[in-house]
């Protein structure tokens, strides 16, 4: 097998909610250690596609997929695929910060704990590392035992990122992670993503085109469930091939 | 857009004005009824307290009854009620919570679920004396537990089960979906998610339901009169298979079947007051817990 720089390969992929086709015939590669942005108007299927990458869409009982998604060459919808292991390796951060109603420490230790890591010194180390990587350690190191919900919105979102990072994921999926945050918190998270990109692969759904332009290497533009255009972020924003893409990025709809 | 909003606002205002009279009438009706309820509760409390307070003393709650229950205290009666209720809760809360987890997290909507829910609601509406007879037939006779702490607790448990199930289910259902989603995204299984996220988050609500259930159970007479409560026992039960005295039944016994009904009036009221204080105290605790949770809830 040739050395493969694509961590995800999505092939002829469809996602249905009952009979409604929310994602239609998508073929797309996600390159490792890059930031790939998915943009498009509301309801075009961005979240649906993103959630299919770590099978979070399994939770929605009405959803059903056709086609294939390969993660490092493994067909993740094959019936022998371990979903739990997949979600450990492909983490997810949501639109609204959703820390558990427990301490900062317990939030970050959640993943390791459910994998049976109970040794305090080891957990301490994992928690500290994850918080450092999420650029939150400096702010919370004196209050790791206080409630995660007492933090500010931006801090909560970084706590959620730390919670994912504690699992040492290879990919992190972000679904509009800054849409509930103020501009300063947003800038912090954007910087953090660029820092994280050195060690993990990032796929981010965003409503904010400037954000996609600022931080991503590749951009996928979706419209009505279809992938209209995919390429270098620079190309997409400066010289889009498709008329719809151009109309969207110039703000004529969406 | 803005114009439209404004329009609907003004028309809302006008509608309010139009119906003001009717609304005012119902509002005052509701107020009056609510007030009446409060007054009735107050009168009952006052009546019992007035008649019972002078007998309440340290001796009354720490000494056993003497002289054919015409003198002495009600210590074993209080202990009996506490044992009965505590054992009932130990039995019913786990079963209720497990059922609630099943209903809230695992069951799929359909005929089976509807039947289960219907049965639960129906069970909640069955008069408590029916549970007493059920307990007599099943626990006392069929299981051969006799009139006992165990049989009484089991009977009370069956009676309060629907309440515990529905309060627990309620508590479980208020756990935000985003918590579960976060847990699954961390690679947790469904059971891990329930155990580590759903249950801890729902626990205050579950406990509140338990406390309010305890308050309900501790005042019940009918379910225990055929299954656990004795006219008189020399002390507290020393095993699960001994009968016991309990507050509500003790009042009933003293007020109806004794040979000294008039003579024991103060003891009857004292016992009633003790029971009311116990029940109201637990209710109050439950209500305080519940309102504190509501305030604390950040999600
Ligand atoms: N749970 C669901 N059940 C049914 N339809 C859904 C569900 N979630 C999303 N959809 C539909 O699928 C389409 C894509 O939704 P989504 O992926 O959330 O879009 P986006 O994230 O781009 O705004 C929308 O038309 C939406 O209404
Ligand atoms: Mg979305």
């Amino acid at each position: 097998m040739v050395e493969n720089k694509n961590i995800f390969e999505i092939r002829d992929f469809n996602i249905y909610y009952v009979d409604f086709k929310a994602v239609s015939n998508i073929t797309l590669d996600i390159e490792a250690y890059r930031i790939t942005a998915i943009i498009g108007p509301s309801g075009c299927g961005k979240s649906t596609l993103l959630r299919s990458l770590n099978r979070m869409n399994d939770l929605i009982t009405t959803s059903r997929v056709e086609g294939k998604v390969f993660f490092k060459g493994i067909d993740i919808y094959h019936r022998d695929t371990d979903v739990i292991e997949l979600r450990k390796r492909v983490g997810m951060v949501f639109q609204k910060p959703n820390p558990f109603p427990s301490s900062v420490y317990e939030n970050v230790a959640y993943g390791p704990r459910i994998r049976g890591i109970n040794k305090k010194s080891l957990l301490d180390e994992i928690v500290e590392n994850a918080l450092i990587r999420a650029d939150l350690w400096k702010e919370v190191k004196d209050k790791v035992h206080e409630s995660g919900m007492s933090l500010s919105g931006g801090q909560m979102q970084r706590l959620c990122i730390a919670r994912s990072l504690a699992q040492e994921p290879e990919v992190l999926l972000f679904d509009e992670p800054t849409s509930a945050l103020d501009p300063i918190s947003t800038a912090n998270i954007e910087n953090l993503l660029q820092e994280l990109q050195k060690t993990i692969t990032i796929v981010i759904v965003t409503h904010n085109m400037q954000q996609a332009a600022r931080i991503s290497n590749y951009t996928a533009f979706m419209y009505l469930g279809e992938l209209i255009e995919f390429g270098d972020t620079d190309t997409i924003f400066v010289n889009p091939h498709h008329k719809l893409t151009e109309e969207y990025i110039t703000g004529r709809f969406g | 857009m803005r114009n439209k909003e404004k329009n609907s606002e003004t028309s809302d205002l006008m509608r309010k004005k139009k119906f003001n009279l009717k609304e005012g009438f119902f509002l005052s009706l509701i107020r009056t009824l609510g007030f009446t309820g409060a007054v009735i509760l107050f009168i009952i409390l006052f009546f019992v307290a007035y008649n019972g307070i002078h007998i309440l003393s340290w001796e009354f709650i720490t000494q056993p009854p003497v002289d054919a229950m015409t003198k002495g205290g009600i210590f074993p009666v209080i202990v009996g009620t506490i044992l009965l209720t505590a054992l009932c809760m130990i039995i019913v809360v786990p079963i209720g919570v497990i059922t609630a987890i099943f209903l809230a997290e695992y069951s799929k909507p359909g005929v089976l679920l509807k039947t289960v829910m219907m049965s639960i609601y129906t069970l909640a509406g069955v008069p408590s004396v029916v549970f007493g007879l059920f307990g007599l037939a099943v626990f006392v006779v069929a299981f051969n537990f006799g009139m006992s702490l165990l049989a009484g607790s089991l009977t009370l448990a069956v009676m309060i089960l629907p309440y515990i199930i529905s309060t627990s289910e309620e508590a479980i259902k208020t756990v935000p979906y985003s918590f579960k989603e976060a847990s699954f995204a961390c690679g947790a299984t469904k059971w891990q998610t329930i155990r580590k996220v759903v249950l801890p988050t729902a626990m205050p609500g579950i406990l509140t339901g338990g406390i309010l259930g305890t308050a309900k159970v501790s005042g019940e007479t009918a379910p225990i009169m055929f299954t656990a409560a004795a006219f008189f026992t020399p002390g507290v039960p020393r095993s699960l298979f001994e009968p016991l005295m309990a507050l509500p039944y003790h009042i009933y016994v003293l007020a109806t079947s004794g040979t000294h009904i008039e003579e024991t009036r103060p003891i009857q009221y004292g016992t009633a007051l003790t029971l009311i204080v116990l029940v109201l105290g637990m209710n109050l605790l439950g209500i305080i817990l519940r309102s504190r949770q509501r305030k604390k809830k950040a999600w």
Side-chain angles (χ1 to χ4, degrees), chain B:
Chain B
M1 184 67 197
R2 192 162 290 164
N3 231 339
K4 223 182 195 170
E5 259 168 35
K6 209 171 168 191
N7 270 340
S8 73
E9 236 168 63
T10 38
S11 65
D12 266 0
L13 277 177
M14 278 157 66
R15 209 175 301 143
K16 263 195 195 121
K17 208 169 176 184
K18 231 193 227 155
F19 286 122
N20 217 357
L21 198 72
K22 213 169 172 182
E23 216 167 88
F25 171 72
F26 279 112
L27 203 63
S28 43
L29 184 72
I30 288 166
R31 278 214 189 107
T32 316
L33 289 177
F35 188 66
T36 314
V39 167
I40 292 176
L41 175 69
F42 187 75
I43 291 174
I44 294 176
L45 277 179
F46 179 79
F47 180 69
V48 175
Y50 178 80
N51 287 293
I53 196 109
H54 59 92
I55 197 174
L56 277 200
S57 66
W58 182 245
E59 282 69 39
F60 187 69
I61 58 172
T62 55
Q63 298 299 316
V66 289
D67 289 352
M69 299 194 285
T70 56
K71 295 204 178 66
I74 54 168
F75 176 70
V77 189
I78 297 174
V79 173
T81 284
I82 291 173
L83 286 176
L84 207 51
T85 346
L87 184 60
C88 163
M89 284 300 143
I90 290 170
I91 295 165
V92 77
V93 169
I95 299 175
V97 171
I98 288 168
T99 313
I101 291 172
F102 170 75
L103 291 175
E105 299 286 343
Y106 287 97
S107 63
K108 301 226 162 61
V111 182
L112 181 71
L113 181 64
K114 260 197 194 133
T115 318
V116 172
M117 292 310 280
M118 270 284 283
S119 323
I120 291 172
Y121 290 133
T122 313
L123 210 57
V126 171
S128 58
V129 67
V130 177
F131 287 102
L133 290 172
F134 171 81
L136 173 66
V138 175
F139 302 124
V140 178
V141 178
F143 287 5
N144 204 18
F145 294 155
M147 293 269 284
S148 61
L149 170 58
L150 184 60
S153 295
L154 284 167
T155 309
L156 289 172
V158 173
M159 187 195 79
I160 202 70
L161 183 63
Y163 180 77
I164 299 295
I165 291 173
S166 65
T167 51
S168 304
E169 197 197 354
E170 196 84 357
I172 289 168
K173 278 189 169 162
T174 55
V175 176
Y177 182 68
S178 67
F179 290 1
K180 295 189 229 170
E181 209 171 34
S183 172
F184 285 120
C186 284
T189 61
K190 184 159 191 175
W191 178 236
Q192 284 170 328
T193 301
I194 288 171
R195 208 161 41 99
K196 305 239 166 167
V197 176
V198 176
L199 279 184
T201 312
M203 198 43 81
I206 292 172
L207 288 181
T208 306
I211 290 170
L212 294 176
T214 308
K216 273 178 195 278
V217 157
S218 58
E220 282 293 340
T221 317
I224 58 170
M225 61 195 295
F226 319 126
T227 57
F231 184 79
F232 176 76
T233 59
V236 299
R238 265 167 299 268
S239 88
L240 289 177
F241 300 100
E242 278 182 28
L244 45 73
M245 294 191 283
L247 290 167
Y249 187 68
H250 193 62
I251 302 169
Y252 171 74
V253 162
L254 291 182
T256 59
S257 2
T259 42
H260 310 280
I261 291 172
E262 280 311 318
E263 216 180 318
T264 57
R265 279 286 186 241
I267 299 183
Q268 294 164 27
Y269 282 113
T271 311
L273 188 58
T274 312
L275 180 59
I276 286 182
V277 168
L278 216 70
V279 170
L280 284 186
M282 270 186 292
N283 271 316
L284 207 63
L285 184 68
I287 290 165
I288 291 170
L289 275 180
R290 193 157 59 186
S291 70
R292 274 198 18 199
Q293 283 156 34
R294 286 207 181 124
K295 258 186 243 146
K296 228 180 65 188
K297 238 176 229 175
W299 55 89

Side-chain angles (χ1 to χ4, degrees), chain A residues 196-243:
Chain A
L196 287 175
Q197 179 208 349
K198 293 172 188 162
T199 50
I200 61 177
T201 308
I202 290 172
V203 185
I204 177 171
V205 164
T206 175
H207 217 76
N208 177 336
M209 275 172 289
Q210 286 75 33
Q211 184 168 65
R214 273 195 302 268
I215 65 170
S216 70
N217 307 104
Y218 297 103
T219 297
F221 170 61
M222 287 178 70
Y223 185 67
L224 296 178
E226 290 183 39
L227 181 64
I228 304 297
E229 190 165 349
F230 174 69
D232 269 14
T233 298
D234 291 342
T235 314
I236 297 276
F237 280 91
V238 178
N239 193 10
H241 295 300
H242 207 288
K243 198 162 158 289

Side-chain angles (χ1 to χ4, degrees), chain A residues 17 20 22 40-49 60 62 175-176 205:
Chain A
Y17 292 112
F20 171 69
S42 235
C44 69
K46 306 181 294 296
S47 299
T48 304
L49 178 64
I60 300 161
T62 56
D175 194 350
E176 305 196 27
V205 164

Side-chain angles (χ1 to χ4, degrees), chain A residues 51 84 87 98 110 114 167, chain B residues 178 181 183-184 186-187 192:
Chain A
R51 295 165 63 90
I84 302 303
R87 291 190 190 138
N98 57 353
Y110 184 75
I114 57 175
Q167 320 234 61
Chain B
S178 67
E181 209 171 34
S183 172
F184 285 120
C186 284
Q192 284 170 328

